[in-house]
Structure formats: C-alpha cells, structure tokens
Amino acid sequence: MFRYILRRLLQMVLAFFGTTLIVYALMFAGQGDPIQALAGERPVTEAQRAYLTEKYHLDATGVGGFFYRYFDYVKSLLQGDLGQSLTGRQIGDILQAAWPVTVKLALIALAVAIIFGVTAGVVAGIRRASIFDNSTLVLTLLVLGIPTIVLAPLAQYFLGVKWQLFPPTAGSEPTFYALLLPGIVLGSLSLATALRLTRTSVAENLRADYVRTARSKGLVKRRIVTVHVLRNSLIPVVTFLGVELGNLMSGAIITEGVFNIPGVGFNLFRGIRTEDGPLVVGIVSVLVVVYLVSNLVVDVLYAVLDPRIRYE
C-alpha cells in the first residue's frame, strides 16, 4: 500500500505540472489585451500599462517568454505564493474568501446525491422492474438530458421568483438556506448518475452466488442486503462520489453564476471573462490538487470497503 501511495503521489506531481502548463499555455496563446479587458471601456494611461506590463511580465513574448513566465509562476507556487490577480488582489485571499462558500455548496450537492440518489438506487435495485424502478429510470433520464445551464435558470425562476420557495440569489454572504436551491441544482446530475449506478450495482449483486449461498443458509433478506449486498455494491458508488466531489467544486461555474454565489467558480468565470491569466491559472492549480487528492483518497478506500482489493 505504501509503495502504491508513493507511486500515485509521483504521478500526481506530473499530472499537476502538466495540467498547469497546458492551462498556462491556453491563457498565453489566447490572451489579447488583458489590461484593457480588465479596464473595460475606461482608458488606460501609459504609466498604468507600463507598470502592469512589467509586473506581470506581459512584455515577454514568444516561446522563450512563455516559459520564462511559466517557470516564474511555478517558482512562486512552490513557495506557497499564488501571486496577484490583475486587479492587484492576492489570489490566496480571493480563494480564502471563496472556498468556504464553494465547499458548502459542493457538500450540499453531494448530500443530495447520497441521501436521495443512493437511497432510491438501493430501493430500485431491490425492487427491480417495479413501478418505482421504472419511474426512477425515466426521471433520471430526463434529468440527465437537461444541462445545468438550462436547469439552473428554470429552477431559479419557478422556485425562487414565481413560487418564492427559495431565495432567487445567494448574495455576498449566503446562508445555508440560500445555498439549498443551488446545491440541489448542482447535485441533480450527480443524483441521477448515483441512482442509476447504485441500482445497477445492487441488482447485479443480488444475483451473485454469495447471495444465493446466504439465502440457502437461512439468512433473512434484510441481513443479506444490509451486510453483504450493500458493502459490495458501494464500491463503484464511492468511486463515483469521491471523484464527483472534485467535479462539484470545479464545475460550479454555471450554478454560482446564475445564483450570484461568490465562490471559486464565480471567480474563475470572472477571471476568464476579464482575461485575468494569473487568477485563472491560480484557481485551476488549486482545483487540480483537490481533484487529484480526492482520486487518491477514493483509491485508498477501495481496500477498506473490499478486503479482496490490494495494491502492490
């Protein structure tokens, strides 16, 4: 296990630097005039332009200039300095204010997927081909067919504006209740996928040989399901939910934008819109670490859930 974790950590280092290099290259290649994009329609003086150009090495052009800027960024990153955005704010301070909001939103979405998705998936797997099973399959197919960019405005209009069941926007300091509707919207796709995955896994394990053996020994159905079937069925579900936690934190751009939530995705979208390269690369770097760590934790949990799984 130790050697496996060490090997995965080395792979994570390569993946991290490879990802940041690609993102940095995309921002560098597609960069127009970030200073003017930041100022909008307001004029920029020559002194301001010269100061920002020198501070962020915007005058370094070509392949050599690109690698000079990238290695300068990596050097600061290894020292724990994410740098400054083009607005002059420390990226670390921006993330410090945005992370708690995004983490709360992601946990709400994950809780929705676990409580409703996994529970309904277990019931549907046990009662396969029933009315409940067929209904959940149709509903999940409908949810999976609606993208978040459509679902979020619809939920905001009907549940927030027309029926006033939830606040239509979260505001600068969102409460748990204000994040509930965005969390449900964000977790809807995860809920549908978790339900289908759990249902399939439970149904397959119920037809396994060890279940027939347990039944022949006289074990009651409740014990067979809760002790034996669920433990084996949860392995792919835990894999999905662990990876999905990283996706929820990085994929909340649309949800945070629609509901005006000052989280990580909202700041990432703002950085892309204003061509704020340092802000975009800094946020993506942190999100890559979160995603890689969540994948490592999921792989380690394999051995906990199933003693047959061992890493050499």
Side-chain angles (χ1 to χ4, degrees):
M1 177 66 74
F2 175 76
R3 288 184 297 175
Y4 171 77
I5 295 177
L6 183 62
R7 186 168 65 250
R8 283 297 305 271
L9 290 175
L10 294 176
Q11 293 174 352
M12 287 169 58
V13 171
L14 295 176
F16 173 77
F17 286 108
T19 305
T20 54
L21 178 62
I22 293 174
V23 174
Y24 208 96
L26 291 174
M27 291 301 299
F28 179 80
Q31 197 174 50
D33 188 355
I35 299 177
Q36 190 61 53
L38 181 66
E41 298 181 355
R42 293 175 297 178
V44 180
T45 64
E46 292 297 329
Q48 292 173 331
R49 181 176 293 276
Y51 170 76
L52 292 174
T53 300
E54 181 181 0
K55 182 177 181 179
Y56 295 102
H57 309 294
L58 299 177
D59 54 345
T61 58
V63 178
F66 163 71
F67 282 105
Y68 171 77
R69 293 164 61 182
Y70 175 72
F71 287 122
D72 182 70
Y73 167 74
V74 171
K75 179 181 177 181
S76 300
L77 191 63
L78 294 177
Q79 296 174 352
D81 182 15
L82 292 173
Q84 290 183 341
S85 68
L86 294 182
T87 60
R89 290 187 61 190
Q90 290 289 336
I91 298 176
D93 295 338
I94 296 175
L95 288 175
Q96 186 177 1
W99 264 121
V101 180
T102 296
V103 170
K104 291 179 184 178
L105 183 63
L107 290 178
I108 292 174
L110 192 65
V112 170
I114 293 174
I115 295 173
F116 297 100
V118 176
T119 304
V122 172
V123 176
I126 296 174
R127 301 179 179 179
R128 191 177 181 185
S130 64
I131 297 177
F132 180 82
D133 181 30
N134 294 329
S135 300
T136 54
L137 289 178
V138 173
L139 289 176
T140 53
L141 183 62
L142 181 63
V143 172
L144 291 172
I146 303 177
T148 306
I149 196 172
V150 176
L151 185 61
L154 288 176
Q156 183 185 46
Y157 173 72
F158 286 105
L159 299 178
V161 177
K162 189 173 182 179
W163 297 331
Q164 298 182 357
L165 299 176
F166 298 95
T169 58
S172 58
E173 296 182 359
T175 61
F176 173 81
Y177 185 65
L179 292 175
L180 190 56
L181 178 59
I184 294 173
V185 172
L186 182 62
S188 60
L189 296 180
S190 303
L191 185 154
T193 306
L195 193 156
R196 282 176 164 258
L197 187 62
T198 306
R199 180 251 183 200
T200 302
S201 184
V202 170
E204 289 180 354
N205 279 281
L206 284 174
R207 297 194 300 268
D209 292 337
Y210 70 89
V211 173
R212 286 193 290 268
T213 302
R215 287 172 178 168
S216 65
K217 290 182 177 181
L219 293 180
V220 296
K221 184 176 181 180
R222 178 179 297 178
R223 180 173 177 80
I224 294 174
V225 172
T226 56
V227 177
H228 301 285
V229 174
L230 281 184
R231 184 169 185 175
N232 291 308
S233 301
L234 285 178
I235 295 176
V237 179
V238 169
T239 305
F240 167 74
L241 293 176
V243 175
E244 192 67 10
L245 180 60
N247 292 335
L248 291 174
M249 290 186 179
S250 59
I253 298 178
I254 297 174
T255 306
E256 291 184 355
V258 171
F259 292 96
N260 194 28
I261 302 173
V264 176
F266 181 83
N267 285 279
L268 179 60
F269 174 74
R270 185 183 64 182
I272 296 174
R273 181 169 51 84
T274 59
E275 298 184 19
D276 194 336
L279 179 61
V280 173
V281 177
I283 292 178
V284 171
S285 300
V286 177
L287 292 177
V288 168
V289 173
V290 172
Y291 189 83
L292 292 175
V293 171
S294 64
N295 275 269
L296 177 62
V297 172
V298 167
D299 289 342
V300 173
L301 283 177
Y302 275 178
V304 177
L305 291 173
D306 192 347
R308 297 172 300 177
I309 299 177
R310 290 291 181 266
Y311 298 111
E312 300 295 338

